[in-house]
Amino acid sequence: MQSIQSYINDNKDRFLNELIDLLKMPSISADSAYKGDVLKTADAVKLSLEKAGCDHVEICETAGYPIVYAEKIIDKNLPTVLVYGHYDVQPPDPLDLWKSPPFEPVIQKTELHPEGAIFARGACDDKGQMYMHVKAMEYMTANNELPCNVKFMIEGEEEVGSVNLSTFVKNNHEKLKNDVILISDTGMIAPDVPSITTGLRGLSYVEVEVTGPNRDLHSGLYGGAVANPINVLTKMIASLHDENNHITIPGFYDKVENLSDEERAEMAKAPFSLEAYKKSLDIDAVYGEAGYSTNERNSIRPTLDVNGIWGGYTGEGAKTVIASKAYAKISMRLVPHQEWEEITDLFKTHFESIAPDGVKVKVTPHHGGQGYVTPIDSLGYKAASKAYEQTFGKTPIPQRSGGSIPIVSLFEEELKSKTILMGFGLDSDAIHSPNEHFGVWNYLKGIETIPHFYKYFTELSK
Ligand code: BES
Ligand code: MN
Ligand code: MN
């Protein structure tokens, strides 16, 4: 019987090359031009799970992209771990900011990854982190080290809101029955500071359209006499925050839970350097809601951000024009207890109410999801904590993240089990940005840590 460390040593080149092959597939769920590639990626994931020793692997069709499901049931009396991940990726644009093409993976050293990092769209979010679980499974089955039952559910629509996955989960309670859900799709504080994500923010994503005159107009002949939709839209957006950067939508904060001073003091213990943070982003000051620290602003507080805004003339040179329409895409990150559908309604009502005469406003909701918090005294948390202690020699720190995996709260509601978020990425890995990467060390450390989770979870469940 071989230890996980020596198994990784013997197989690490293959582990890297297999991931690189997966990263060459442009599985961009948001862009229908890549439909064939997304479907091929699902097949590749299916094959990898078969090779890793799963007994029963299937492609489950949905109204959108398929879900790859696999399982290995060794004994009905043993606990079952359900692994969730996603094989779809974000669009890679803007392409010209990539140092190497997004779907031609290369390994390059960086300051934070002296042993090298794989640069490609999806390297960290989430193909690299999802594939750690496939390789950990391979180790456990090949070495007779699998201590419990395993189910895999790898979807292809996480980056577009997991709409079809929620239907699948609702219709498949028995198939997906488990004792704990394990996900690697988040980050860690630093390579030498292991952390377990205990919170995710919810999301409400909307698109707004402001319409003024029935056609684009000469900005001299009409300027000053009719509402300019772009002027109006930017003014309306600006009014959504007050001078303290609080959000002005009535009722927005009603359900926000205020953390106790003790809880805030506990959070403040996590290692964080404001100077390093500013330096990594080339900014000379941080910006945000008055009365909260940077770590609080991006985890326990809700936010409202414009993600895109357009209208009028943006081509070369100058064109004197008042556009007929202006648009923006707006996301609101929510905290637990805020109901995303209710927040979407509050936004819509408020945004329509602040529109001045002379324009029409349309608000179209896109998607959303609930936030999530999980306690640190669950069996799953304890098992994860012990696993990190084994491989990092340190107790991990609980951390509430600002990102969203909207399906996690639905898992808990429908399947009645806790989710453990064991992330191995770094904030600097540039997920969703140009030059996304994932440290080779992080990838291998994840593969090493996961089998320990299975072992401890099974032991603690006895
Ligand atoms: N893996 C991320 C979420 C994440 C990253 C959580 C890092 C915590 C730390 C996920 O793929 C993602 O990008 N989610 C989207 C939401 C989705 C509905 C598009 C997000 O957070 O924007
Ligand atoms: Mn992800
Ligand atoms: Mn993502």
Side-chain angles (χ1 to χ4, degrees):
M1 197 175 61
Q2 204 179 0
S3 76
I4 178 72
Q5 265 156 326
S6 89
Y7 191 77
I8 291 173
N9 254 326
D10 291 353
N11 293 285
K12 63 170 175 254
D13 289 342
R14 178 172 59 84
F15 286 1
L16 282 169
N17 288 329
E18 287 176 11
L19 174 56
I20 284 171
D21 283 342
L22 199 61
L23 291 169
K24 286 181 185 163
M25 308 178 113
S27 50
I28 308 165
S29 51
D31 187 344
S32 57
Y34 292 87
K35 186 171 178 194
D37 297 289
V38 183
L39 295 173
K40 271 189 221 151
T41 310
D43 289 333
V45 172
K46 175 175 185 264
L47 191 64
S48 74
L49 285 163
E50 281 162 356
K51 285 193 183 154
C54 291
D55 287 336
H56 169 82
V57 190
E58 58 177 316
I59 295 269
C60 303
E61 299 298 341
T62 71
Y65 287 122
I67 294 156
V68 186
Y69 178 82
E71 61 181 37
K72 188 168 183 76
I73 307 296
I74 55 171
D75 179 347
K76 290 228 150 56
N77 297 315
L78 286 168
T80 301
V81 176
L82 172 70
V83 177
Y84 163 83
H86 61 96
Y87 64 81
D88 64 321
V89 302
Q90 285 276 326
D93 56 276
L95 283 175
D96 52 322
L97 294 183
W98 284 78
K99 291 190 194 108
S100 55
F103 298 106
E104 293 171 30
V106 292
I107 297 182
Q108 217 103 70
K109 291 189 164 107
T110 74
E111 206 177 308
L112 282 170
H113 297 294
E115 69 305 307
I118 311 171
F119 282 77
R121 171 56 85 231
C124 178
D125 183 12
D126 180 39
K127 284 176 178 164
Q129 297 211 70
M130 176 271 287
Y131 208 66
M132 299 181 318
H133 289 269
V134 181
K135 294 299 99 179
M137 180 71 179
E138 174 193 308
Y139 162 75
M140 291 186 287
T141 57
N143 293 279
N144 226 345
E145 284 281 312
L146 183 67
C148 61
N149 306 312
V150 192
K151 295 175 177 177
F152 281 87
M153 178 169 66
I154 313 297
E155 72 152 319
E157 298 187 315
E158 195 279 339
E159 299 292 8
V160 289
S162 304
V163 177
N164 295 300
L165 181 66
S166 39
T167 314
F168 182 78
V169 171
K170 285 177 190 158
N171 292 336
N172 287 282
H173 282 190
E174 197 45 44
K175 185 187 188 100
L176 302 174
K177 199 166 178 291
N178 66 79
D179 297 284
V180 71
I181 298 170
L182 183 60
I183 304 181
S184 296
D185 193 21
T186 53
M188 57 197 279
I189 294 176
D192 57 344
V193 189
S195 37
I196 299 173
T197 301
T198 51
L200 294 164
R201 285 196 287 193
L203 183 72
S204 163
Y205 201 107
V206 298
E207 186 163 328
V208 299
E209 179 191 284
V210 174
T211 307
N214 60 5
R215 59 191 159 91
D216 288 9
L217 301 174
H218 189 290
S219 65
L221 294 183
Y222 290 92
V226 296
N228 176 329
I230 301 177
N231 291 8
V232 169
L233 174 62
T234 50
K235 202 164 164 180
M236 287 168 71
I237 287 171
S239 78
L240 297 175
H241 290 93
D242 69 13
E243 66 283 4
N244 291 313
N245 279 316
H246 293 303
I247 294 156
T248 55
I249 301 169
F252 186 85
Y253 291 100
D254 282 1
K255 293 190 175 163
V256 173
E257 177 189 30
N258 287 312
L259 265 62
S260 66
D261 290 347
E262 290 75 36
E263 284 171 296
R264 291 180 69 183
E266 199 53 43
M267 267 189 79
K269 285 186 192 156
F272 176 74
S273 156
L274 190 60
E275 281 318 304
Y277 185 83
K278 288 191 289 189
K279 191 160 171 267
S280 74
L281 300 173
D282 285 324
I283 51 174
D284 52 21
V286 291
Y287 186 91
E289 189 181 4
Y292 295 93
S293 70
T294 295
N295 274 337
E296 291 173 335
R297 287 170 177 168
N298 68 22
S299 64
I300 61 164
R301 297 298 295 167
T303 59
L304 183 151
D305 277 294
V306 177
N307 293 240
I309 183 163
W310 69 103
Y313 184 70
T314 56
E316 195 181 337
K319 175 185 177 190
T320 48
V321 65
I322 292 175
S324 164
K325 284 176 185 288
Y327 307 84
K329 291 184 194 276
I330 296 175
S331 69
M332 288 162 277
R333 295 282 168 175
L334 310 176
V335 296
H337 306 305
Q338 281 183 298
E339 301 284 338
W340 77 269
E341 277 155 324
E342 187 183 330
I343 293 292
T344 306
D345 287 343
L346 289 178
F347 176 91
K348 189 170 156 59
T349 307
H350 177 67
F351 207 70
E352 286 166 356
S353 79
I354 59 173
D357 290 347
V359 299
K360 289 185 218 56
V361 167
K362 196 166 112 195
V363 176
T364 312
H366 269 269
H367 54 71
Q370 291 300 113
Y372 186 70
V373 262
T374 190
I376 61 169
D377 57 5
S378 68
L379 282 189
Y381 188 94
K382 285 182 191 155
S385 185
K386 283 165 86 82
Y388 282 104
E389 280 164 28
Q390 278 286 309
T391 55
F392 286 77
K394 280 182 188 170
T395 304
I397 296 176
Q399 180 200 23
R400 276 175 70 168
S401 171
S404 308
I405 311 177
I407 202 70
V408 169
S409 66
L410 188 112
F411 286 160
E412 184 156 326
E413 237 166 76
E414 295 288 327
L415 305 174
K416 314 284 176 221
S417 51
K418 295 263 170 270
T419 291
I420 304 302
L421 298 156
M422 294 176 78
F424 292 89
L426 300 180
D427 282 355
S428 54
D429 286 347
I431 64 170
H432 293 208
S433 305
N435 306 307
E436 173 177 355
H437 54 281
F438 188 36
V440 171
W441 182 88
N442 303 63
Y443 176 54
L444 300 176
K445 205 68 179 170
I447 299 172
E448 184 188 341
T449 308
I450 291 163
H452 293 286
F453 173 84
Y454 282 75
K455 189 181 98 204
Y456 289 123
F457 187 75
T458 309
E459 276 177 26
L460 290 171
S461 300
K462 277 180 189 147

